[in-house]
């Protein structure tokens, strides 16, 4: 009886596909192994095996698989179930979820190759391009598709290749190449014949007349193993020619050895720091609540020592042989945390995020899958939730309120915090959600006892919270008390702080130099040609840049509309703020942390280390500096404008404002020194700012949750957002109207379609439609109805050019 294999391909396909396999292959294959399969006319893909069975597909004849790559599953069965849940809940194709989860180096790529045959003459009836190509080719040779494109100077060489294949001049084949290769280093070893003391003594005596070889060998014997060739050859006492002679004479040997790309810890782990009384009570309460609940919300004020609590809980899990996942919202946070965790758990720690190369991530993936001790504790950003855990015991979600845990830009649009809780439930693991400013949804779950709740109300060692004050910008401008974009009160406090040899954080949530450039004569503002936004001015590069599509124009002082040389900057970016600070405080050491200064792999670490070590006096940044960073000598935090958060058109605007302002305030006074936070605003009496000043989250929550219930927003409903994009506005409007009617027939609460704040990006016009789903209804049934409607929508010919995207639980 024939055997068949269901596989998932790393493509935007909702269904699995069935292939024929032999009985021998069926006895070897298990779910989670990689299999090379043909798909389509001329493509080969790496797929993931799902199930071996004996039921042939009814609608097509299955092809044979090409080969089996793995000896054991690279994705455990539980992790496959988790990926299937991600696909189902977030309405994303399983193939895309698998492609997102796996490091790209593990998805082997196929490459088309052209093999030339032998010919005596070129047929005149061939096209000009075909003749030109044959004249440049050698017979009985192999060429890659990239080489053929280079020779032809054509983007699409397939018509020419088809012509030559038909005429039997060439043939095409597809090969799959492994992209992951272990890192090899050259190790120098002593030949086994000289391991004995007598043999080595005789060898040294024989080299007495050859001083360079003697010195080189003596230097080798003084090294600690392993001895790596490049570092050893660079030593002053080593002669390269003598080293080569010793290798040639079989005294020393050189071997290629596979090594980790991420350095292992050699020194011994340090003991954990002792806990305060409140921290001990917090741990006891967490462990007690874990008896009845899987998730505990640790609500601790900034600086209360939540990380120390985490580390003591981590140690218990590691001692029990369990794996631990420690999620953080930003790559920048991993720098400080990595150093802290490394000193205590270096022998167990691995780091996983997108700034690492695909090969580095592949090694962490393999170690996690094999449950190696050096990857027992994983510190990572949101993508670390996809790692193939074998025995997960604890998941820590630090700064659990952060929107960075949500993937916005591409499918699957998952939320790592929520996904991590599902992952933990599948493994029977426990979860801690740690934050000083919980999301309303998380705090609601804690208030209704769905989650456990532990509160730390005081800072570590009884350190005082920073004093928060507001600067009324209306009053400051009226009294002419502004120096650039800084009020005189803030400038004075910065001077006092620098004089006291302490550090300053300045928060401005807009990168670039200015929001836009305006002509003072005709009021013309340069716009992005592809998006409905103005171009942001970046002074360092002297360019105007779109922060949505990346379009850039070279900056010219002359107005492109009227020709007047009278530009005027509007709005404040971090570059301009840095310039103003350097003019006001010329002796201060100033740096800037935003997307423009942290693009490279090590940029975060360098900036954070420089500021932590005291090499910088003032750090200017966007939201990157608000998220869990621990700077001991910061005693002043300045917020340049709080109003942009308060008036953003979103039902979560006030929640975000409270979170951001409270978090950035928490960077000051971490070791107990008196500290201040100055917030510049045109609305110092705004109620949200009053809650921020008092550090009163419970009262803020009570006010906000009442409004959420009144207007039926989360956590009292679930929301699905449907995004439609099209380059033709009239087609998009027609599609939006059609979809709205279909949604209203199936769902009671539909809002939209309406354009978002930026209604056109990359020449695509955008419409958003919200569906509110009641909590007591079936979520899966609602998503099936939505999926069927969108399938019907996709079949309408006039809407073929309209792109659709589903965002479940948009943030």
């Amino acid at each position: 009886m024939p055997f068949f294999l269901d596989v998932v391909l790393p493509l935007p396909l909702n269904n699995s596909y069935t292939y024929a396999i032999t009985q021998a292959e069926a006895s070897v294959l298990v779910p989670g192994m990689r299999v090379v399969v043909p798909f389509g006319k001329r493509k080969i893909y790496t797929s993931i095996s799902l199930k071996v069975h004996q039921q042939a597909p009814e609608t097509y004849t299955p092809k044979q698989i090409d080969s089996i790559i793995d000896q054991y599953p690279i994705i455990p069965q539980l992790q496959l179930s988790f990926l299937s849940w991600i696909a189902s809940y977030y309405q994303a194709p399983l193939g895309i979820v698998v492609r997102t989860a796996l490091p790209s180096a593990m998805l082997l790529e196929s490459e088309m190759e052209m093999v030339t045959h032998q010919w005596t003459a070129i047929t005149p009836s061939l096209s000009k391009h075909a003749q030109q190509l044959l004249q440049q080719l050698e017979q009985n040779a192999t060429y890659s598709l990239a080489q053929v494109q280079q020779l032809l100077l054509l983007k699409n060489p397939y018509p020419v290749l088809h012509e030559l294949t038909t005429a039997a001049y060439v043939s095409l084949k597809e090969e799959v190449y492994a992209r992951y290769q272990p890192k090899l280093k050259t190790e120098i070893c002593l030949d086994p014949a000289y391991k004995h003391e007598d043999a080595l003594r005789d060898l040294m005596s024989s080299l007495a007349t050859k001083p360079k070889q003697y010195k080189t060998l003596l230097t080798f014997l003084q090294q600690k193993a392993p001895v790596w060739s490049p570092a050893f050859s660079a030593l002053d006492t080593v002669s390269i020619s003598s080293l080569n002679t010793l290798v040639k004479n079989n005294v020393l040997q050189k071997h290629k050895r596979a090594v980790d790309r991420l350095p292992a810890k050699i020194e011994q782990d340090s003991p954990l720091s002792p806990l305060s009384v409140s921290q001990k009570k917090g741990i006891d309460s967490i462990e007690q609540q874990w008896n009845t609940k899987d998730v505990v919300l640790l609500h601790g004020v900034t600086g209360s020592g939540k990380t120390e609590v985490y580390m003591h809980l981590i140690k218990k899990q590691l001692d029990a042989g369990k794996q631990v996942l420690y999620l953080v919202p930003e790559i920048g946070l991993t720098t400080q945390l990595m150093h802290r965790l490394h000193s205590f758990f270096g022998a167990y720690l691995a780091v996983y995020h997108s700034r690492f190369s695909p090969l580095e991530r592949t090694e962490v993936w393999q170690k996690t899958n094999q449950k190696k001790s050096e990857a027992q504790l994983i510190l990572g950003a949101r993508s670390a939730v996809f790692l193939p855990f074998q025995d997960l015991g604890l998941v820590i979600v630090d700064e659990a309120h952060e929107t960075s845990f949500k993937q916005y830009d591409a499918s699957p649009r998952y939320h790592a915090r929520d996904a991590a809780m599902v992952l933990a439930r599948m493994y029977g693991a426990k979860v801690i959600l740690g934050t000083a400013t919980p999301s309303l949804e998380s705090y609601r779950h804690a208030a209704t006892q769905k989650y456990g709740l532990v509160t730390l109300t005081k800072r570590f060692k009884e350190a005082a919270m920073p004093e928060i004050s507001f600067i009324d910008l209306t009053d400051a401008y009226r009294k002419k008390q502004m120096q650039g974009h800084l009020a005189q009160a803030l400038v004075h406090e910065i001077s006092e702080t620098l004089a006291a040899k302490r550090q300053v954080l300045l928060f401005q949530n807009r990168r670039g130099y200015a929001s836009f450039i305006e002509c003072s004569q005709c009021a013309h503002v340069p716009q992005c040609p592809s998006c409905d936004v103005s171009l942001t001015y970046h002074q360092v590069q002297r360019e105007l840049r779109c922060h949505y599509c990346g379009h850039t124009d070279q900056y010219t002082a002359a107005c492109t509309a009227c020709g007047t040389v009278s530009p005027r900057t509007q709005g404040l970016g971090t570059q301009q703020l840095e310039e103003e600070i350097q003019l006001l405080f010329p002796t201060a050491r100033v740096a800037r942390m935003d997307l423009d200064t942290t693009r490279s792999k090590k940029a975060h670490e360098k900036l954070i280390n420089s500021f932590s070590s005291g090499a910088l006096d003032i750090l200017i940044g966007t939201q990157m500096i608000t998220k869990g960073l621990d700077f001991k000598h910061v005693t002043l935090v300045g917020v340049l404008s709080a109003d942009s958060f308060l008036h953003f058109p979103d039902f979560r605007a006030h929640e975000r404002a409270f979170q951001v302002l409270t978090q950035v305030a928490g960077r000051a006074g971490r070791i107990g020194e008196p500290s201040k936070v100055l917030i510049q605003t045109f609305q110092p009496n705004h109620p949200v700012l009053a809650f921020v000043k008092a550090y009163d989250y419970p009262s803020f929550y009570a006010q906000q949750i009442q409004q959420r219930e009144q207007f039926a927003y989360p956590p009292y409903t679930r929301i699905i957002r449907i995004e439609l994009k099209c380059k033709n506005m009239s087609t998009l409007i027609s599609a939006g109207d059609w979809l709205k009617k279909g949604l209203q027939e199936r769902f009671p609460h539909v809002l939209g379609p309406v354009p978002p704040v930026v209604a056109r990006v990359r020449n695509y016009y955008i419409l958003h439609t919200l569906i509110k789903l009641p909590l007591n209804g079936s979520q899966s049934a609602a998503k099936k109805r939505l999926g069927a409607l969108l399938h019907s929508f996709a079949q309408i010919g006039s809407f073929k050019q309209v792109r659709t995207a589903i965002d479940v639980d948009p943030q």
Side-chain angles (χ1 to χ4, degrees):
M1 195 170 180
F3 288 85
F4 301 95
L5 174 69
D6 290 345
V7 303
V8 55
L9 291 151
L11 298 169
L13 304 169
N14 289 308
N15 301 319
S16 60
Y17 285 82
T18 302
Y19 287 82
I21 56 175
T22 65
Q23 185 173 355
E25 290 169 335
S27 65
V28 172
L29 282 163
V30 295
M33 293 173 67
R34 288 177 297 173
V35 181
V36 178
V37 298
F39 188 76
K41 291 184 178 180
R42 52 172 181 254
K43 291 297 290 182
I44 297 175
Y45 290 96
T46 304
S47 63
I48 302 297
S49 61
L50 294 179
K51 183 176 69 172
V52 175
H53 58 89
Q54 293 184 293
Q55 185 175 352
E58 298 178 357
T59 56
Y60 58 91
T61 302
K63 299 177 181 179
Q64 289 281 340
I65 67 169
D66 273 18
S67 60
I68 302 171
I69 298 175
D70 302 309
Q71 296 180 345
Y72 57 87
I74 64 163
I75 305 179
Q77 183 65 59
L78 272 179
Q79 203 75 12
L80 272 177
S81 301
F82 173 65
L83 297 182
S84 298
W85 176 86
I86 291 272
S88 173
Y89 185 83
Y90 291 103
Q91 296 291 280
L94 180 57
I96 291 298
V97 176
V98 169
R99 191 173 189 90
T100 302
L102 283 171
S104 58
M106 300 185 77
L107 290 169
L108 312 188
E109 294 293 331
S110 64
E111 183 174 323
M112 173 89 53
E113 290 185 335
M114 181 188 72
V115 180
T116 58
H117 301 161
Q118 216 162 1
W119 64 83
T120 55
I122 298 175
T123 307
S125 59
L126 290 175
S127 67
K128 182 179 72 172
H129 286 303
Q131 292 185 45
Q132 288 176 349
L133 180 61
L134 284 178
Q135 290 169 1
Q136 300 177 76
L137 298 177
E138 295 182 12
Q139 298 183 31
N140 298 322
T142 301
Y143 294 86
S144 69
L145 185 61
Q147 290 173 313
V148 172
Q149 286 176 309
Q150 191 173 12
L151 292 171
L152 273 175
L153 299 177
L154 292 175
K155 287 186 177 180
N156 181 15
Y158 286 109
V160 176
L161 293 178
H162 177 72
E163 183 181 1
L164 293 177
T165 304
T166 305
Y169 283 93
V170 304
S171 59
L172 301 179
K173 68 175 183 177
E174 193 91 6
E175 292 289 345
V176 174
Y177 296 92
R179 297 169 63 188
Y180 172 72
Q181 295 291 337
K183 184 177 181 179
L184 299 177
K185 288 182 70 174
T186 303
E187 183 183 9
I188 302 175
C189 305
L190 186 67
D191 190 278
Y194 301 104
K195 294 286 186 181
H196 297 291
E197 188 175 338
D198 293 340
L200 184 60
R201 188 185 304 111
D202 293 341
L203 173 63
M204 298 300 290
S205 298
S206 67
L207 294 177
T209 58
K210 302 172 182 177
K212 288 188 177 180
Q213 290 186 41
Y214 183 91
K215 196 173 185 179
T216 298
L217 182 58
L218 184 63
T219 302
F220 170 81
L221 295 173
Q222 292 171 343
Q223 305 300 308
K224 291 183 178 179
V227 179
W228 303 115
S229 179
F232 180 69
S233 301
L235 295 175
D236 295 335
T237 54
V238 173
S239 165
I240 302 297
S241 60
S242 297
L243 175 61
N244 293 335
T245 303
L246 290 171
V247 172
K248 183 180 178 181
N249 293 337
N250 296 321
V251 174
L252 298 177
Q253 297 178 347
K254 287 186 177 182
H255 301 286
K256 292 288 186 181
R257 178 173 153 188
V259 296
D260 290 342
R261 287 177 170 83
L262 302 174
K265 183 175 181 181
I266 300 174
E267 64 272 16
Q268 192 172 4
D269 289 341
S270 304
L272 290 174
S273 305
L275 295 174
S276 67
V277 175
S278 61
Q279 287 172 327
K280 288 179 182 177
K281 289 181 179 178
I283 286 181
D284 292 341
S285 180
I286 289 169
E287 293 178 329
Q288 182 181 356
Q289 294 187 58
W290 273 345
N291 293 327
T292 55
K293 297 177 177 66
D294 293 330
V295 181
V296 172
L297 174 63
L298 178 58
H299 180 202
V301 297
T302 56
S304 58
K306 295 186 289 295
T307 305
E308 295 294 333
V309 172
Y310 302 153
M311 288 196 287
H312 280 262
L313 293 171
I314 287 170
K315 187 177 188 308
K316 292 183 180 181
Q317 294 293 326
L318 296 180
D319 290 344
K322 297 284 188 178
Q323 292 174 307
V324 178
L325 173 60
Y326 193 141
L327 286 176
V328 292
E330 289 280 352
I331 292 171
L333 280 184
T334 61
T335 300
Q336 278 196 336
L337 266 177
M338 182 174 65
H339 291 307
R340 292 183 70 180
L341 293 174
H342 192 265
S343 63
F344 300 116
F345 308 112
Y348 305 96
L349 178 65
V351 183
Y352 190 86
H353 54 62
S354 60
R355 288 287 172 90
F356 282 156
S357 71
L359 298 177
E360 288 171 330
R361 278 179 278 156
T362 298
E363 290 184 355
V364 175
W365 182 284
Q366 291 175 336
K367 289 178 181 178
T368 307
N369 192 27
Q370 296 165 20
K371 203 187 173 184
K372 290 193 173 182
S373 61
E374 59 263 38
Q376 200 173 336
L377 167 59
I378 302 293
L379 172 65
R382 62 172 179 253
S383 58
V385 79
F386 291 120
L387 283 168
F389 296 98
Q390 296 289 340
D391 191 10
L392 188 62
L394 174 63
V395 175
I396 298 168
V397 185
D398 198 15
E399 307 296 338
H401 64 280
E402 277 291 345
T403 57
S404 301
F405 282 121
K406 172 75 173 180
Q407 175 152 307
Y408 293 93
D409 49 356
S411 182
R413 292 173 173 82
Y414 67 100
H415 198 300
R417 178 196 64 208
D418 300 340
M421 288 189 281
V422 174
L423 178 72
R425 186 168 67 244
M426 289 181 172
Y427 280 87
K430 301 301 182 182
V431 180
I432 298 177
L433 306 179
T435 175
T437 53
S439 68
L440 264 66
E441 289 91 334
S442 295
Y443 203 79
R444 170 70 177 172
H445 290 322
T448 56
Q449 297 188 345
K450 181 178 179 181
Y451 299 166
L453 176 63
V454 175
T455 304
L456 300 177
T457 58
K458 294 182 179 180
R459 282 188 153 186
F460 187 64
K461 294 184 178 178
E462 304 294 323
M465 297 296 290
E467 177 191 347
I468 298 178
S469 303
F470 302 108
I471 298 174
D472 188 343
L473 287 177
T474 303
D475 194 48
Y477 276 109
R478 181 175 58 82
K479 294 179 178 179
K480 298 183 179 180
Q481 295 176 344
M482 297 294 294
Q483 293 182 246
H485 290 86
L486 283 76
Q488 287 181 3
L490 180 55
V491 173
H492 173 74
E493 289 295 339
I494 294 173
S495 300
E496 293 287 319
T497 304
L498 296 178
K501 304 297 183 182
R502 291 295 177 259
Q503 293 174 304
V504 180
L505 272 181
L506 295 178
F507 172 52
Q508 171 60 18
N509 199 36
R510 184 179 292 276
R511 63 189 175 100
Y513 187 84
S515 303
F516 57 90
I517 298 289
E518 181 183 57
C519 175
S520 60
Q521 295 299 314
C522 70
H524 172 72
V525 176
Q527 299 287 314
C528 175
S530 303
C531 309
D532 285 346
V533 292
S534 57
L535 295 174
T536 301
Y537 176 47
H538 288 250
Q539 188 178 49
V540 175
Q541 298 84 4
R542 299 289 291 174
E543 67 183 16
L544 300 170
R545 187 185 305 165
C546 176
H547 289 173
Y548 285 83
C549 70
H551 170 84
T552 58
D553 284 339
Q554 197 64 33
Y555 170 73
T556 57
C559 175
T560 55
C562 70
T564 304
V565 182
S566 184
R568 180 171 56 195
T569 59
Q570 298 287 358
L572 177 66
T574 50
Q575 285 185 7
Q576 187 175 359
L577 179 58
E578 182 181 23
E579 182 181 280
E580 290 185 9
I581 290 296
Q582 287 176 333
L583 288 173
L584 289 168
F585 307 100
T587 60
R589 297 163 296 176
V590 184
R592 173 167 50 93
M593 179 183 280
D594 55 26
L595 187 61
D596 298 317
T597 61
T598 57
R599 293 184 185 276
S600 63
K601 180 178 177 180
K602 298 288 186 180
H604 277 102
E605 186 173 353
K606 289 178 181 177
L607 273 171
I608 290 171
N609 288 343
S610 295
F611 195 64
S612 298
S613 65
L616 298 171
D617 300 313
I618 301 174
L619 182 62
I620 299 165
T622 56
Q623 284 198 49
M624 290 181 179
I625 66 171
T626 71
K627 301 177 181 181
L629 297 172
D630 190 1
F631 300 123
K632 294 182 179 179
H633 302 296
V634 172
T635 58
L636 176 64
V637 170
V639 179
L640 273 293
S641 176
D643 303 296
S644 58
F645 296 102
L646 296 172
H647 302 297
F648 195 78
D650 187 275
F651 71 91
R652 287 192 174 92
H654 286 179
E655 178 184 2
R656 300 256 170 82
F658 182 90
Q659 290 170 340
V660 169
L661 295 176
T662 302
Q663 289 288 341
V664 74
R667 300 315 106 204
R670 305 282 289 192
I671 60 173
E673 291 187 82
S675 55
K676 294 181 180 181
V677 179
L678 295 183
I679 300 175
Q680 296 188 163
T681 174
F682 287 98
Q683 293 182 288
N685 296 320
H686 196 286
V688 172
L689 298 182
F691 292 129
V692 171
K693 181 180 176 65
Y695 296 101
D696 189 0
Y697 180 84
S699 299
F700 170 76
Y701 166 80
Q703 183 212 54
Q704 288 293 306
I705 204 70
Q706 186 178 0
Q707 295 179 7
R708 296 282 184 91
E709 185 176 20
Q710 180 181 357
F711 295 104
Y713 277 107
Y716 295 98
T717 57
R718 306 301 288 267
I719 289 180
I720 298 177
R721 182 173 65 202
I722 304 170
E723 181 180 80
L724 300 181
K725 299 168 67 174
C726 185
K727 291 186 176 181
N728 186 294
M729 173 65 87
S730 60
T731 301
L732 182 66
I733 292 173
S734 299
D737 291 340
W738 187 96
L739 187 62
K740 179 180 181 179
K741 291 177 183 176
L743 291 172
Q744 288 177 333
E745 292 172 0
R746 293 163 174 80
F747 303 99
H749 302 291
V750 178
L751 302 177
V754 295
V757 175
V758 180
R760 182 174 62 104
V761 176
R762 300 180 186 272
N763 283 321
Y764 279 92
Y765 296 95
I766 306 171
L767 286 177
H768 284 170
T769 302
L770 291 185
I771 306 170
K772 290 183 178 181
L773 301 178
L775 297 180
N776 56 6
S778 171
Q779 305 290 317
S780 59
K783 289 171 184 174
K784 285 182 180 177
R785 294 197 301 272
L786 176 60
L789 176 64
L790 292 178
H791 179 74
S792 301
F793 175 85
Q795 306 308 310
I796 300 174
S798 58
F799 297 155
K800 290 286 186 183
Q801 56 184 309
V802 180
R803 297 184 180 182
T804 60
I806 302 175
D807 190 356
V808 178
D809 301 336
Q811 296 294 305

